[in-house]
Amino acid sequence: MAQPRNCLVGMLLTGAACCATAGELRVLVDDSTQMPQANIVDETLQDGLHRDIGLALAARLQRAASFRVMPRKRLLPALEAGQGDVVCLTLPEWMPGKDLRWSQPFMQNQDLLLSSRAAAPRKQLTALAGQPVGTVLGFAYPELQAALGEGFVRDDAHSLEDSLRKLAAGRVQHVISNRLYLDYQLAHGLQLPPMQPHLVISSYRMRCALSARSPISLTALNRALGQLQQQGAFERMLQHYR
């Protein structure tokens, strides 16, 4: 059972400073992100892993957390311009930029290929050549691009929710989803058509991208992440949304 919000935050911040003394930690969040990663209402981050991680890091860094929601295509330019400090739950392959510093990895996830049972059976990615695959606008899919090349046919939607609606309606037969999102949504009532077994595209541990213009050092960010990891804070966050 999910714990009350104030109890969760209290546990995450155990042993960490609770008052900001050195400015802000400015966290940027993609506006297409959905739960459990983010609950965005009227362009304001209300809940989810992005908020939990931002609050916990800010406490460790003795800063006040602030959150800014923006379109995905603006995240990298904003970081490079110093308009934010960090974007978390991402990877260098997804945000290739020259002026970013990358944290240590800290949270596990997987990318999955979801295929309707109505589609031809597939055991490997090359079976998708020439077939539309439900993707999210602005997201990178390096494994599919490498496997399929020009045969990778994207069918972009604004969000994973929109992609899965296309799958349910039969408009596409294949969709790429991350496991955290899929597990959360299935537990909260998501209905899918009869499906083939999920195919794991990649397993990875997500990181934070730190702006080179941020006053926060990469050493300090990694120290904060390491302390939270050691204390089990990230696992408690994940358990809260299961």
Side-chain angles (χ1 to χ4, degrees):
M1 178 180 296
Q3 301 175 50
R5 181 71 188 170
N6 57 345
C7 294
L8 174 67
V9 172
M11 285 192 302
L12 297 180
L13 303 186
T14 298
C18 295
C19 301
T21 60
E24 288 186 324
L25 174 69
R26 300 165 299 161
V27 181
L28 305 184
V29 181
D30 173 7
D31 68 358
S32 70
T33 310
Q34 295 168 299
M35 288 294 283
Q37 286 91 331
N39 177 26
I40 298 169
V41 179
D42 296 330
E43 300 184 356
T44 300
L45 181 64
Q46 301 285 347
D47 200 2
L49 290 168
H50 279 287
R51 188 173 188 274
D52 296 342
I53 292 166
L55 289 171
L57 283 176
R60 282 286 168 191
L61 295 167
Q62 297 189 330
R63 291 174 174 263
S66 67
F67 301 94
R68 183 178 178 189
V69 176
M70 62 176 58
R72 183 173 182 81
K73 65 182 180 180
R74 291 178 51 197
L75 291 179
L76 180 56
L79 274 185
E80 291 182 329
Q83 296 170 1
D85 295 305
V86 293
V87 173
C88 289
L89 300 180
T90 186
L91 290 175
E93 300 94 307
W94 302 347
M95 292 185 65
K98 297 179 180 178
D99 296 322
L100 302 183
R101 297 171 288 175
W102 286 95
S103 78
Q104 64 189 36
F106 64 93
M107 187 173 284
Q108 187 73 29
N109 203 357
Q110 290 181 319
D111 280 345
L112 307 173
L113 176 65
L114 314 183
S115 296
S116 167
R117 199 177 293 169
R122 80 291 177 270
K123 294 184 178 180
Q124 52 190 4
L125 296 180
T126 51
L128 298 176
Q131 300 184 51
V133 179
T135 50
V136 177
L137 184 67
F139 278 40
Y141 302 92
E143 290 81 11
L144 268 80
Q145 193 63 57
L148 301 176
E150 293 183 358
F152 181 23
V153 181
R154 298 178 60 129
D155 191 311
D156 279 337
H158 177 69
S159 66
L160 260 174
E161 180 182 16
D162 292 341
S163 242
L164 290 175
R165 284 176 179 169
K166 290 182 180 181
L167 180 67
R171 293 168 56 193
V172 294
Q173 294 185 320
H174 310 280
V175 164
I176 304 168
S177 174
N178 71 80
R179 185 174 290 279
L180 288 178
Y181 174 83
L182 181 66
D183 288 351
Y184 179 90
Q185 295 298 331
L186 288 173
H188 288 76
L190 173 67
Q191 298 293 319
L192 293 177
M195 303 293 291
Q196 299 182 40
H198 303 333
L199 182 65
V200 177
I201 298 174
S202 62
S203 298
Y204 48 86
R205 293 178 69 203
M206 296 175 288
R207 303 162 69 176
C208 292
L210 177 66
S211 171
R213 296 175 178 264
S214 172
I216 300 165
S217 71
L218 183 60
T219 298
L221 179 62
N222 279 332
R223 183 185 304 116
L225 287 168
Q227 290 169 344
L228 291 167
Q229 187 95 61
Q230 187 175 25
Q231 294 179 350
F234 299 127
E235 183 57 33
R236 291 196 295 274
M237 293 177 193
L238 291 172
Q239 287 293 340
H240 178 68
Y241 297 107
R242 288 174 180 154

